[in-house]
Amino acid sequence: MLTRLIYYSQGTDKLDMEGIKQILKKSSSNNANLGITGSLYFNETFFLQILEGGRTEVSKLYTKISQDTRHKNMVIVDVSSISSRSFSDWAMLYLNETNLNKNDILKYTSNLPMDLNKMTSENILEFVLHAKKRSNQVSS
Ligand code: FAD
């Protein structure tokens, strides 16, 4: 059963840009082996990750990530069965604020800086898909 899990968490002081690079490197190899795709958004304050794949694989990976001391206070936004992937070309697409402006963020929340606790799961997903679109626009 193809499943999508969305969560957010706070980076800890054990994390720097080198740490993010390591996480992405690990994610690329591990996720490809597990048939997992997704995205990792980081904005210096929080991580917002989408994991897509088999239900068992996504559950196991989430449990492993939850034990990582480079972040804390994980909050699950949504777990859904899906019919197709949004990140089929990406073992883990890294997204950040670079290509987003204030108006992009205000489409999905009335709070600046963005407060994920006050956003619906639909708006959080739409926000990530918008960030992905922006990243495609810039890289293409
Ligand atoms: P190894 O790399 O051999 O690691 C062994 C152990 O050391 C693991 O328990 C790991 O958690 C821990 N570890 C390794 N480096 C550090 C470090 N610098 N600081 C603290 N603990 C460390 N992994 C994925 O495979 N896919 C993902 O999509 C993914 N997303 C992540 C998202 C976030 C926000 C974070 C913080 C981590 C993510 N990780 C992801 C990393 C994951 O938590 C594990 O570190 C990684 O999967 C372990 O890989 P491994 O089993 O090959 O073990």
Side-chain angles (χ1 to χ4, degrees), residues 7 9 14-15 22-23 26-28 30-31 34 36 40 47 49 51 61 64-71 91-92:
Y7 77 86
S9 62
K14 294 190 177 176
L15 191 82
Q22 277 173 16
I23 289 169
K26 255 298 149 200
S27 302
S28 294
N30 286 353
N31 295 5
L34 295 169
I36 288 183
L40 183 65
F47 285 107
Q49 188 169 35
L51 301 171
L61 180 58
K64 181 154 89 165
I65 295 172
S66 71
Q67 288 153 8
D68 196 311
T69 54
R70 291 169 286 187
H71 66 159
M92 195 45 59

PDB file of all heavy atoms in Angstrom, residues 7 9 14-15 22-23 26-28 30-31 34 36 40 47 49 51 61 64-71 91-92, ligand 1:
ATOM      1  N   TYR A   7       5.640  14.968   8.427  1.00  0.00           N
ATOM      2  CA  TYR A   7       5.877  15.408   9.817  1.00  0.00           C
ATOM      3  C   TYR A   7       6.756  16.650   9.800  1.00  0.00           C
ATOM      4  O   TYR A   7       7.405  16.963   8.788  1.00  0.00           O
ATOM      5  CB  TYR A   7       6.561  14.298  10.650  1.00  0.00           C
ATOM      6  CG  TYR A   7       8.032  14.165  10.357  1.00  0.00           C
ATOM      7  CD1 TYR A   7       8.974  14.962  11.027  1.00  0.00           C
ATOM      8  CD2 TYR A   7       8.497  13.293   9.381  1.00  0.00           C
ATOM      9  CE1 TYR A   7      10.327  14.871  10.732  1.00  0.00           C
ATOM     10  CE2 TYR A   7       9.845  13.201   9.084  1.00  0.00           C
ATOM     11  CZ  TYR A   7      10.758  13.996   9.765  1.00  0.00           C
ATOM     12  OH  TYR A   7      12.092  13.934   9.462  1.00  0.00           O
ATOM     13  N   SER A   9       9.625  18.882  12.575  1.00  0.00           N
ATOM     14  CA  SER A   9      10.423  18.765  13.794  1.00  0.00           C
ATOM     15  C   SER A   9      11.337  19.983  13.884  1.00  0.00           C
ATOM     16  O   SER A   9      11.437  20.762  12.929  1.00  0.00           O
ATOM     17  CB  SER A   9      11.271  17.486  13.753  1.00  0.00           C
ATOM     18  OG  SER A   9      12.179  17.552  12.668  1.00  0.00           O
ATOM     19  N   LYS A  14      22.878  20.353  17.544  1.00  0.00           N
ATOM     20  CA  LYS A  14      23.859  19.397  16.995  1.00  0.00           C
ATOM     21  C   LYS A  14      23.893  19.476  15.472  1.00  0.00           C
ATOM     22  O   LYS A  14      24.603  18.733  14.814  1.00  0.00           O
ATOM     23  CB  LYS A  14      23.488  17.972  17.390  1.00  0.00           C
ATOM     24  CG  LYS A  14      23.593  17.756  18.872  1.00  0.00           C
ATOM     25  CD  LYS A  14      23.460  16.312  19.230  1.00  0.00           C
ATOM     26  CE  LYS A  14      23.653  16.178  20.738  1.00  0.00           C
ATOM     27  NZ  LYS A  14      23.469  14.845  21.215  1.00  0.00           N
ATOM     28  N   LEU A  15      23.077  20.358  14.920  1.00  0.00           N
ATOM     29  CA  LEU A  15      22.908  20.368  13.469  1.00  0.00           C
ATOM     30  C   LEU A  15      23.517  21.612  12.833  1.00  0.00           C
ATOM     31  O   LEU A  15      23.296  22.719  13.292  1.00  0.00           O
ATOM     32  CB  LEU A  15      21.414  20.349  13.166  1.00  0.00           C
ATOM     33  CG  LEU A  15      21.074  20.094  11.732  1.00  0.00           C
ATOM     34  CD1 LEU A  15      21.121  18.606  11.454  1.00  0.00           C
ATOM     35  CD2 LEU A  15      19.706  20.616  11.431  1.00  0.00           C
ATOM     36  N   GLN A  22      24.962  15.604   5.228  1.00  0.00           N
ATOM     37  CA  GLN A  22      25.099  14.171   5.582  1.00  0.00           C
ATOM     38  C   GLN A  22      23.743  13.468   5.538  1.00  0.00           C
ATOM     39  O   GLN A  22      23.616  12.351   5.046  1.00  0.00           O
ATOM     40  CB  GLN A  22      25.646  14.036   7.003  1.00  0.00           C
ATOM     41  CG  GLN A  22      27.148  14.143   7.105  1.00  0.00           C
ATOM     42  CD  GLN A  22      27.589  14.173   8.568  1.00  0.00           C
ATOM     43  OE1 GLN A  22      26.826  13.822   9.469  1.00  0.00           O
ATOM     44  NE2 GLN A  22      28.814  14.600   8.802  1.00  0.00           N
ATOM     45  N   ILE A  23      22.727  14.147   6.081  1.00  0.00           N
ATOM     46  CA  ILE A  23      21.377  13.560   6.109  1.00  0.00           C
ATOM     47  C   ILE A  23      20.902  13.306   4.675  1.00  0.00           C
ATOM     48  O   ILE A  23      20.360  12.243   4.351  1.00  0.00           O
ATOM     49  CB  ILE A  23      20.387  14.485   6.863  1.00  0.00           C
ATOM     50  CG1 ILE A  23      20.697  14.472   8.358  1.00  0.00           C
ATOM     51  CG2 ILE A  23      18.939  14.080   6.608  1.00  0.00           C
ATOM     52  CD1 ILE A  23      19.967  15.524   9.173  1.00  0.00           C
ATOM     53  N   LYS A  26      22.834  10.335   3.101  1.00  0.00           N
ATOM     54  CA  LYS A  26      22.320   9.066   3.647  1.00  0.00           C
ATOM     55  C   LYS A  26      20.951   8.755   3.065  1.00  0.00           C
ATOM     56  O   LYS A  26      20.642   7.629   2.683  1.00  0.00           O
ATOM     57  CB  LYS A  26      22.143   9.206   5.164  1.00  0.00           C
ATOM     58  CG  LYS A  26      23.125   8.543   6.082  1.00  0.00           C
ATOM     59  CD  LYS A  26      23.179   7.076   5.986  1.00  0.00           C
ATOM     60  CE  LYS A  26      24.593   6.640   6.315  1.00  0.00           C
ATOM     61  NZ  LYS A  26      24.953   5.363   5.872  1.00  0.00           N
ATOM     62  N   SER A  27      20.100   9.805   3.030  1.00  0.00           N
ATOM     63  CA  SER A  27      18.726   9.613   2.546  1.00  0.00           C
ATOM     64  C   SER A  27      18.732   9.131   1.108  1.00  0.00           C
ATOM     65  O   SER A  27      17.947   8.255   0.742  1.00  0.00           O
ATOM     66  CB  SER A  27      17.932  10.926   2.638  1.00  0.00           C
ATOM     67  OG  SER A  27      17.919  11.390   3.943  1.00  0.00           O
ATOM     68  N   SER A  28      19.612   9.703   0.285  1.00  0.00           N
ATOM     69  CA  SER A  28      19.625   9.319  -1.136  1.00  0.00           C
ATOM     70  C   SER A  28      19.889   7.838  -1.290  1.00  0.00           C
ATOM     71  O   SER A  28      19.165   7.145  -2.007  1.00  0.00           O
ATOM     72  CB  SER A  28      20.709  10.074  -1.895  1.00  0.00           C
ATOM     73  OG  SER A  28      20.404  11.415  -1.910  1.00  0.00           O
ATOM     74  N   ASN A  30      19.915   5.322   1.221  1.00  0.00           N
ATOM     75  CA  ASN A  30      18.980   4.450   1.964  1.00  0.00           C
ATOM     76  C   ASN A  30      17.598   4.427   1.314  1.00  0.00           C
ATOM     77  O   ASN A  30      16.994   3.371   1.145  1.00  0.00           O
ATOM     78  CB  ASN A  30      18.812   4.939   3.407  1.00  0.00           C
ATOM     79  CG  ASN A  30      20.036   4.635   4.262  1.00  0.00           C
ATOM     80  OD1 ASN A  30      20.951   3.962   3.822  1.00  0.00           O
ATOM     81  ND2 ASN A  30      20.045   5.141   5.478  1.00  0.00           N
ATOM     82  N   ASN A  31      17.080   5.604   0.961  1.00  0.00           N
ATOM     83  CA  ASN A  31      15.702   5.676   0.468  1.00  0.00           C
ATOM     84  C   ASN A  31      15.554   4.966  -0.881  1.00  0.00           C
ATOM     85  O   ASN A  31      14.539   4.313  -1.131  1.00  0.00           O
ATOM     86  CB  ASN A  31      15.238   7.133   0.366  1.00  0.00           C
ATOM     87  CG  ASN A  31      15.170   7.796   1.725  1.00  0.00           C
ATOM     88  OD1 ASN A  31      15.546   7.199   2.724  1.00  0.00           O
ATOM     89  ND2 ASN A  31      14.709   9.027   1.775  1.00  0.00           N
ATOM     90  N   LEU A  34      15.045   1.447  -0.323  1.00  0.00           N
ATOM     91  CA  LEU A  34      13.754   1.119   0.307  1.00  0.00           C
ATOM     92  C   LEU A  34      12.556   1.459  -0.578  1.00  0.00           C
ATOM     93  O   LEU A  34      11.408   1.249  -0.184  1.00  0.00           O
ATOM     94  CB  LEU A  34      13.608   1.906   1.622  1.00  0.00           C
ATOM     95  CG  LEU A  34      14.590   1.580   2.746  1.00  0.00           C
ATOM     96  CD1 LEU A  34      14.500   2.624   3.862  1.00  0.00           C
ATOM     97  CD2 LEU A  34      14.289   0.187   3.301  1.00  0.00           C
ATOM     98  N   ILE A  36      11.718   4.483  -1.250  1.00  0.00           N
ATOM     99  CA  ILE A  36      11.107   5.660  -0.631  1.00  0.00           C
ATOM    100  C   ILE A  36      11.525   6.919  -1.381  1.00  0.00           C
ATOM    101  O   ILE A  36      12.687   7.066  -1.781  1.00  0.00           O
ATOM    102  CB  ILE A  36      11.484   5.751   0.868  1.00  0.00           C
ATOM    103  CG1 ILE A  36      10.717   4.657   1.617  1.00  0.00           C
ATOM    104  CG2 ILE A  36      11.196   7.128   1.450  1.00  0.00           C
ATOM    105  CD1 ILE A  36      10.904   4.631   3.095  1.00  0.00           C
ATOM    106  N   LEU A  40      12.590  17.072   1.833  1.00  0.00           N
ATOM    107  CA  LEU A  40      13.002  17.566   3.147  1.00  0.00           C
ATOM    108  C   LEU A  40      13.171  19.070   3.034  1.00  0.00           C
ATOM    109  O   LEU A  40      14.067  19.558   2.347  1.00  0.00           O
ATOM    110  CB  LEU A  40      14.322  16.916   3.575  1.00  0.00           C
ATOM    111  CG  LEU A  40      14.824  17.308   4.965  1.00  0.00           C
ATOM    112  CD1 LEU A  40      13.874  16.816   6.052  1.00  0.00           C
ATOM    113  CD2 LEU A  40      16.217  16.742   5.220  1.00  0.00           C
ATOM    114  N   PHE A  47      12.366  21.331  10.360  1.00  0.00           N
ATOM    115  CA  PHE A  47      12.344  20.405   9.234  1.00  0.00           C
ATOM    116  C   PHE A  47      10.883  20.117   8.925  1.00  0.00           C
ATOM    117  O   PHE A  47      10.061  20.008   9.858  1.00  0.00           O
ATOM    118  CB  PHE A  47      12.967  19.055   9.616  1.00  0.00           C
ATOM    119  CG  PHE A  47      14.454  19.053   9.726  1.00  0.00           C
ATOM    120  CD1 PHE A  47      15.067  18.986  10.962  1.00  0.00           C
ATOM    121  CD2 PHE A  47      15.240  19.081   8.588  1.00  0.00           C
ATOM    122  CE1 PHE A  47      16.443  18.949  11.070  1.00  0.00           C
ATOM    123  CE2 PHE A  47      16.622  19.054   8.675  1.00  0.00           C
ATOM    124  CZ  PHE A  47      17.220  18.991   9.919  1.00  0.00           C
ATOM    125  N   GLN A  49       9.192  17.187   6.534  1.00  0.00           N
ATOM    126  CA  GLN A  49       9.558  16.101   5.629  1.00  0.00           C
ATOM    127  C   GLN A  49       8.339  15.337   5.138  1.00  0.00           C
ATOM    128  O   GLN A  49       7.389  15.100   5.889  1.00  0.00           O
ATOM    129  CB  GLN A  49      10.515  15.122   6.330  1.00  0.00           C
ATOM    130  CG  GLN A  49      11.074  14.072   5.372  1.00  0.00           C
ATOM    131  CD  GLN A  49      12.222  13.258   5.947  1.00  0.00           C
ATOM    132  OE1 GLN A  49      12.233  12.975   7.140  1.00  0.00           O
ATOM    133  NE2 GLN A  49      13.160  12.863   5.110  1.00  0.00           N
ATOM    134  N   LEU A  51       7.545  11.656   3.363  1.00  0.00           N
ATOM    135  CA  LEU A  51       8.065  10.335   2.997  1.00  0.00           C
ATOM    136  C   LEU A  51       6.971   9.603   2.229  1.00  0.00           C
ATOM    137  O   LEU A  51       5.827   9.516   2.708  1.00  0.00           O
ATOM    138  CB  LEU A  51       8.424   9.527   4.249  1.00  0.00           C
ATOM    139  CG  LEU A  51       9.471  10.125   5.195  1.00  0.00           C
ATOM    140  CD1 LEU A  51       9.544   9.319   6.498  1.00  0.00           C
ATOM    141  CD2 LEU A  51      10.845  10.179   4.528  1.00  0.00           C
ATOM    142  N   LEU A  61      11.163   3.656   8.537  1.00  0.00           N
ATOM    143  CA  LEU A  61      12.076   4.796   8.372  1.00  0.00           C
ATOM    144  C   LEU A  61      11.697   5.918   9.341  1.00  0.00           C
ATOM    145  O   LEU A  61      12.565   6.529   9.970  1.00  0.00           O
ATOM    146  CB  LEU A  61      12.051   5.305   6.920  1.00  0.00           C
ATOM    147  CG  LEU A  61      12.966   6.499   6.650  1.00  0.00           C
ATOM    148  CD1 LEU A  61      14.429   6.190   6.988  1.00  0.00           C
ATOM    149  CD2 LEU A  61      12.862   6.951   5.186  1.00  0.00           C
ATOM    150  N   LYS A  64      13.105   5.182  12.663  1.00  0.00           N
ATOM    151  CA  LYS A  64      14.558   5.414  12.703  1.00  0.00           C
ATOM    152  C   LYS A  64      14.852   6.915  12.795  1.00  0.00           C
ATOM    153  O   LYS A  64      15.654   7.348  13.628  1.00  0.00           O
ATOM    154  CB  LYS A  64      15.199   4.806  11.448  1.00  0.00           C
ATOM    155  CG  LYS A  64      16.693   4.963  11.404  1.00  0.00           C
ATOM    156  CD  LYS A  64      17.364   3.891  10.573  1.00  0.00           C
ATOM    157  CE  LYS A  64      17.496   4.266   9.129  1.00  0.00           C
ATOM    158  NZ  LYS A  64      18.438   3.424   8.392  1.00  0.00           N
ATOM    159  N   ILE A  65      14.177   7.698  11.964  1.00  0.00           N
ATOM    160  CA  ILE A  65      14.424   9.150  11.966  1.00  0.00           C
ATOM    161  C   ILE A  65      14.069   9.743  13.328  1.00  0.00           C
ATOM    162  O   ILE A  65      14.726  10.673  13.808  1.00  0.00           O
ATOM    163  CB  ILE A  65      13.612   9.832  10.829  1.00  0.00           C
ATOM    164  CG1 ILE A  65      14.098   9.357   9.459  1.00  0.00           C
ATOM    165  CG2 ILE A  65      13.705  11.348  10.931  1.00  0.00           C
ATOM    166  CD1 ILE A  65      13.234   9.820   8.283  1.00  0.00           C
ATOM    167  N   SER A  66      13.040   9.181  13.976  1.00  0.00           N
ATOM    168  CA  SER A  66      12.589   9.738  15.268  1.00  0.00           C
ATOM    169  C   SER A  66      13.650   9.552  16.360  1.00  0.00           C
ATOM    170  O   SER A  66      13.595  10.210  17.393  1.00  0.00           O
ATOM    171  CB  SER A  66      11.255   9.116  15.692  1.00  0.00           C
ATOM    172  OG  SER A  66      11.467   7.781  16.070  1.00  0.00           O
ATOM    173  N   GLN A  67      14.613   8.652  16.118  1.00  0.00           N
ATOM    174  CA  GLN A  67      15.664   8.426  17.126  1.00  0.00           C
ATOM    175  C   GLN A  67      16.905   9.283  16.884  1.00  0.00           C
ATOM    176  O   GLN A  67      17.881   9.198  17.612  1.00  0.00           O
ATOM    177  CB  GLN A  67      16.038   6.939  17.129  1.00  0.00           C
ATOM    178  CG  GLN A  67      14.931   6.101  17.752  1.00  0.00           C
ATOM    179  CD  GLN A  67      14.897   4.676  17.235  1.00  0.00           C
ATOM    180  OE1 GLN A  67      15.793   4.256  16.514  1.00  0.00           O
ATOM    181  NE2 GLN A  67      13.859   3.939  17.585  1.00  0.00           N
ATOM    182  N   ASP A  68      16.854  10.087  15.867  1.00  0.00           N
ATOM    183  CA  ASP A  68      18.019  10.898  15.486  1.00  0.00           C
ATOM    184  C   ASP A  68      18.077  12.158  16.366  1.00  0.00           C
ATOM    185  O   ASP A  68      17.110  12.924  16.442  1.00  0.00           O
ATOM    186  CB  ASP A  68      17.876  11.278  14.004  1.00  0.00           C
ATOM    187  CG  ASP A  68      19.172  11.769  13.407  1.00  0.00           C
ATOM    188  OD1 ASP A  68      19.819  12.630  14.022  1.00  0.00           O
ATOM    189  OD2 ASP A  68      19.526  11.304  12.321  1.00  0.00           O
ATOM    190  N   THR A  69      19.230  12.348  17.017  1.00  0.00           N
ATOM    191  CA  THR A  69      19.348  13.465  17.974  1.00  0.00           C
ATOM    192  C   THR A  69      19.611  14.820  17.292  1.00  0.00           C
ATOM    193  O   THR A  69      19.734  15.830  17.970  1.00  0.00           O
ATOM    194  CB  THR A  69      20.504  13.200  18.961  1.00  0.00           C
ATOM    195  OG1 THR A  69      21.694  12.937  18.188  1.00  0.00           O
ATOM    196  CG2 THR A  69      20.217  12.026  19.863  1.00  0.00           C
ATOM    197  N   ARG A  70      19.657  14.816  15.970  1.00  0.00           N
ATOM    198  CA  ARG A  70      19.854  16.088  15.274  1.00  0.00           C
ATOM    199  C   ARG A  70      18.565  16.888  15.149  1.00  0.00           C
ATOM    200  O   ARG A  70      18.564  18.009  14.649  1.00  0.00           O
ATOM    201  CB  ARG A  70      20.485  15.842  13.896  1.00  0.00           C
ATOM    202  CG  ARG A  70      21.916  15.373  14.010  1.00  0.00           C
ATOM    203  CD  ARG A  70      22.461  14.876  12.706  1.00  0.00           C
ATOM    204  NE  ARG A  70      21.915  13.568  12.353  1.00  0.00           N
ATOM    205  CZ  ARG A  70      22.327  12.844  11.326  1.00  0.00           C
ATOM    206  NH1 ARG A  70      23.289  13.314  10.548  1.00  0.00           N
ATOM    207  NH2 ARG A  70      21.794  11.649  11.073  1.00  0.00           N
ATOM    208  N   HIS A  71      17.456  16.289  15.596  1.00  0.00           N
ATOM    209  CA  HIS A  71      16.202  17.045  15.648  1.00  0.00           C
ATOM    210  C   HIS A  71      15.369  16.552  16.828  1.00  0.00           C
ATOM    211  O   HIS A  71      15.687  15.548  17.473  1.00  0.00           O
ATOM    212  CB  HIS A  71      15.433  16.972  14.328  1.00  0.00           C
ATOM    213  CG  HIS A  71      14.908  15.616  13.965  1.00  0.00           C
ATOM    214  ND1 HIS A  71      13.880  15.431  13.090  1.00  0.00           N
ATOM    215  CD2 HIS A  71      15.281  14.357  14.367  1.00  0.00           C
ATOM    216  CE1 HIS A  71      13.644  14.138  12.951  1.00  0.00           C
ATOM    217  NE2 HIS A  71      14.475  13.475  13.713  1.00  0.00           N
ATOM    218  N   ALA A  91      14.766  10.634  -4.384  1.00  0.00           N
ATOM    219  CA  ALA A  91      14.931   9.846  -3.157  1.00  0.00           C
ATOM    220  C   ALA A  91      14.724  10.772  -1.956  1.00  0.00           C
ATOM    221  O   ALA A  91      14.142  10.376  -0.947  1.00  0.00           O
ATOM    222  CB  ALA A  91      16.314   9.220  -3.108  1.00  0.00           C
ATOM    223  N   MET A  92      15.188  12.005  -2.060  1.00  0.00           N
ATOM    224  CA  MET A  92      14.882  13.031  -1.043  1.00  0.00           C
ATOM    225  C   MET A  92      15.228  14.400  -1.624  1.00  0.00           C
ATOM    226  O   MET A  92      16.401  14.759  -1.739  1.00  0.00           O
ATOM    227  CB  MET A  92      15.683  12.764   0.254  1.00  0.00           C
ATOM    228  CG  MET A  92      15.187  13.520   1.481  1.00  0.00           C
ATOM    229  SD  MET A  92      13.386  13.523   1.751  1.00  0.00           S
ATOM    230  CE  MET A  92      12.973  11.791   1.891  1.00  0.00           C
TER     231      MET A  92
HETATM  232  P1  FAD B   1      24.445   4.986  10.024  1.00  0.00           P
HETATM  233  O1  FAD B   1      24.622   6.142   9.093  1.00  0.00           O
HETATM  234  O2  FAD B   1      25.505   3.972  10.100  1.00  0.00           O
HETATM  235  O3  FAD B   1      24.128   5.622  11.461  1.00  0.00           O
HETATM  236  C1  FAD B   1      24.098   4.827  12.622  1.00  0.00           C
HETATM  237  C2  FAD B   1      23.427   5.554  13.755  1.00  0.00           C
HETATM  238  O4  FAD B   1      24.042   6.812  14.040  1.00  0.00           O
HETATM  239  C3  FAD B   1      21.973   5.883  13.488  1.00  0.00           C
HETATM  240  O5  FAD B   1      21.244   5.582  14.656  1.00  0.00           O
HETATM  241  C4  FAD B   1      21.928   7.392  13.231  1.00  0.00           C
HETATM  242  O6  FAD B   1      20.691   7.929  13.668  1.00  0.00           O
HETATM  243  C5  FAD B   1      23.101   7.863  14.026  1.00  0.00           C
HETATM  244  N1  FAD B   1      23.804   9.019  13.453  1.00  0.00           N
HETATM  245  C6  FAD B   1      24.560   9.019  12.345  1.00  0.00           C
HETATM  246  N2  FAD B   1      25.115  10.234  12.184  1.00  0.00           N
HETATM  247  C7  FAD B   1      24.676  11.001  13.205  1.00  0.00           C
HETATM  248  C8  FAD B   1      24.899  12.316  13.591  1.00  0.00           C
HETATM  249  N3  FAD B   1      25.720  13.129  12.912  1.00  0.00           N
HETATM  250  N4  FAD B   1      24.270  12.788  14.690  1.00  0.00           N
HETATM  251  C9  FAD B   1      23.450  12.002  15.405  1.00  0.00           C
HETATM  252  N5  FAD B   1      23.219  10.704  15.110  1.00  0.00           N
HETATM  253  C10 FAD B   1      23.818  10.232  14.013  1.00  0.00           C
HETATM  254  N6  FAD B   1      17.710   8.826   6.827  1.00  0.00           N
HETATM  255  C11 FAD B   1      17.260   8.148   5.761  1.00  0.00           C
HETATM  256  O7  FAD B   1      17.750   7.055   5.462  1.00  0.00           O
HETATM  257  N7  FAD B   1      16.239   8.653   5.001  1.00  0.00           N
HETATM  258  C12 FAD B   1      15.633   9.842   5.283  1.00  0.00           C
HETATM  259  O8  FAD B   1      14.737  10.260   4.540  1.00  0.00           O
HETATM  260  C13 FAD B   1      16.097  10.572   6.402  1.00  0.00           C
HETATM  261  N8  FAD B   1      15.542  11.753   6.745  1.00  0.00           N
HETATM  262  C14 FAD B   1      15.987  12.411   7.852  1.00  0.00           C
HETATM  263  C15 FAD B   1      15.381  13.617   8.223  1.00  0.00           C
HETATM  264  C16 FAD B   1      15.809  14.294   9.355  1.00  0.00           C
HETATM  265  C17 FAD B   1      15.160  15.579   9.740  1.00  0.00           C
HETATM  266  C18 FAD B   1      16.877  13.782  10.125  1.00  0.00           C
HETATM  267  C19 FAD B   1      17.349  14.516  11.336  1.00  0.00           C
HETATM  268  C20 FAD B   1      17.478  12.587   9.773  1.00  0.00           C
HETATM  269  C21 FAD B   1      17.053  11.897   8.641  1.00  0.00           C
HETATM  270  N9  FAD B   1      17.646  10.695   8.255  1.00  0.00           N
HETATM  271  C22 FAD B   1      17.160  10.016   7.161  1.00  0.00           C
HETATM  272  C23 FAD B   1      18.798  10.151   8.959  1.00  0.00           C
HETATM  273  C24 FAD B   1      18.367   9.036   9.907  1.00  0.00           C
HETATM  274  O9  FAD B   1      17.863   9.582  11.102  1.00  0.00           O
HETATM  275  C25 FAD B   1      19.557   8.130  10.238  1.00  0.00           C
HETATM  276  O10 FAD B   1      20.637   8.904  10.714  1.00  0.00           O
HETATM  277  C26 FAD B   1      20.050   7.367   9.019  1.00  0.00           C
HETATM  278  O11 FAD B   1      18.969   6.807   8.299  1.00  0.00           O
HETATM  279  C27 FAD B   1      20.978   6.264   9.541  1.00  0.00           C
HETATM  280  O12 FAD B   1      21.505   5.611   8.447  1.00  0.00           O
HETATM  281  P2  FAD B   1      22.088   4.136   8.606  1.00  0.00           P
HETATM  282  O13 FAD B   1      21.013   3.232   9.083  1.00  0.00           O
HETATM  283  O14 FAD B   1      22.724   3.811   7.297  1.00  0.00           O
HETATM  284  O15 FAD B   1      23.079   4.213   9.801  1.00  0.00           O
END
